[in-house]
Amino acid sequence: MVTIDGAQNATAMFQEILPQGQRTPTHYFFSIHRMDEDDDVGSIWIKINHHTGVAFLFDIFVDAKYRGRGFASRALMQVEDYARKHGAQIVQLHVFGHNHAAESLYTKLGFSVSHATMTKWL
């Protein structure tokens, strides 16, 4: 029988994706900043593949108390500008089917579904 340790698997995956941590080339980390109160309200992590012209959004996080106030929208538009200036022609991301708020945000910003993973519970 094979057992999978989720935490061990996640650690190995992060070490593979980010062997130099936040200094891993082509990976970019940004804080989402609230200017009027000098607070960080979230963060974004992207990778830009300069050979393919694809920027992949690995993660966007906005603290719960700041959600629904436009921080994610404005931050994503700034990340798109950053990616474009650094050679990206496409931004891709993954969104889970149950995350309707994120899906709505991405659709509003012009993202469209390029493929889908389907699941059947047994």
Side-chain angles (χ1 to χ4, degrees):
M1 179 172 161
V2 176
T3 60
I4 299 173
D5 181 332
Q8 192 175 41
N9 191 27
T11 299
M13 184 177 73
F14 271 100
Q15 288 174 346
E16 182 180 330
I17 294 170
L18 295 168
Q20 297 173 27
Q22 289 189 349
R23 290 184 298 275
T24 302
T26 72
H27 289 261
Y28 305 92
F29 299 85
F30 303 95
S31 293
I32 302 172
H33 196 72
R34 180 177 172 175
M35 301 298 284
D36 61 338
E37 293 193 14
D38 200 31
D39 284 338
D40 285 340
V41 301
S43 59
I44 293 181
W45 166 23
I46 66 167
K47 176 184 180 181
I48 300 175
N49 184 322
H50 300 285
H51 300 290
T52 64
V54 175
F56 188 82
L57 179 70
F58 272 93
D59 189 46
I60 180 167
F61 171 78
V62 174
D63 190 280
K65 66 183 176 182
Y66 295 106
R67 292 180 189 156
R69 296 168 57 184
F71 288 104
S73 296
R74 290 189 299 275
L76 282 168
M77 287 186 283
Q78 289 181 347
V79 164
E80 286 178 19
D81 288 341
Y82 181 89
R84 187 180 301 106
K85 289 175 184 171
H86 289 84
Q89 299 164 342
I90 296 171
V91 177
Q92 296 179 329
L93 56 84
H94 173 83
V95 61
F96 288 103
H98 63 78
N99 193 343
H100 302 295
E103 189 175 353
S104 176
L105 169 66
Y106 302 140
T107 299
K108 181 179 82 173
L109 292 174
F111 287 83
S112 60
V113 176
S114 62
H115 61 279
T117 301
M118 298 179 74
T119 302
K120 178 181 178 180
W121 290 95
L122 303 177

